[in-house]
Amino acid sequence: MSQHSFIDALLPPGIGRVAVLERIAALVDWRLIEGQVNKVRQAGTGRPPYAPLTMFKALLLAQWYGLSDPGLEEALLDRVSFRRFCGLTLDGGTPDETTLCRFRQTLRQAGLADHLFSQVLDQLAVAGFQLKPGTLADVALVRLPARTAPPEADGAG
């Protein structure tokens, strides 16, 4: 993907590169998707909305990696590869979980969600590829029960 900001341009080559996402980005004709997803652009008060294609790509990542909306928000904040895939710059904003959820609902209400997800998979199939969803390993830090002192040695030996 192309560099979008000064901060992105400062990164060494290879940082935030994931070959699978780059390959998908190159195989899909995003203009076809964008023409359809732009129909659901949400207007309203407050900050300007994120580009519909950016939001849709984020939802694709959530589906492919089995992420909840809070998990997707966290991944977009953490993973340079996800930001690049979606077209988000490193120094720009990131959609929060509520924004992502509302966009998904808007897509569903417009009857486009399943159609657009299928269209991406169909384009990959035409190119000779099948997507196999993956996961991001989620590490948890769990408190251990209180440790008891090891029994004293009886001196026999």
Side-chain angles (χ1 to χ4, degrees):
M1 297 228 116
S2 62
Q3 305 280 316
H4 293 99
S5 74
F6 180 70
I7 299 296
D8 289 305
L10 292 176
L11 290 178
I15 296 291
R17 294 189 67 196
V18 172
V20 170
L21 293 179
E22 288 181 357
R23 186 76 186 261
I24 291 169
L27 290 170
V28 173
D29 184 350
W30 296 108
R31 292 171 300 172
L32 294 175
I33 304 294
E34 187 173 30
Q36 296 171 63
V37 78
N38 278 346
K39 296 174 186 175
V40 299
R41 184 169 191 89
Q42 295 174 299
T45 59
R47 341 174 253 235
Y50 292 94
L53 184 60
T54 293
M55 296 295 291
F56 178 69
K57 286 180 173 183
L59 296 182
L60 286 172
L61 292 171
Q63 186 178 55
W64 297 340
Y65 288 94
L67 298 170
S68 63
D69 292 332
L72 177 58
E73 177 185 354
E74 191 172 287
L76 288 170
L77 286 167
D78 180 62
R79 296 178 66 98
V80 175
S81 60
F82 277 26
R83 294 183 75 80
R84 285 189 174 164
F85 180 80
C86 293
L88 295 167
T89 60
L90 292 178
D91 57 347
T94 303
D96 62 24
E97 64 181 274
T98 304
T99 303
L100 294 161
C101 180
R102 286 184 183 150
F103 186 78
R104 181 183 296 103
Q105 290 171 347
T106 302
L107 271 184
R108 285 186 180 140
Q109 290 169 351
L112 287 173
D114 291 337
H115 171 72
L116 290 172
F117 287 129
S118 293
Q119 192 172 5
V120 170
L121 296 178
D122 291 346
Q123 286 190 42
L124 293 173
V126 166
F129 293 93
Q130 179 183 14
L131 187 79
K132 299 228 180 217
T135 59
L136 296 177
D138 193 20
V139 175
L141 185 63
V142 180
R143 183 173 297 279
L144 293 173
R147 298 180 80 175
T148 57
E152 293 287 327
D154 63 4

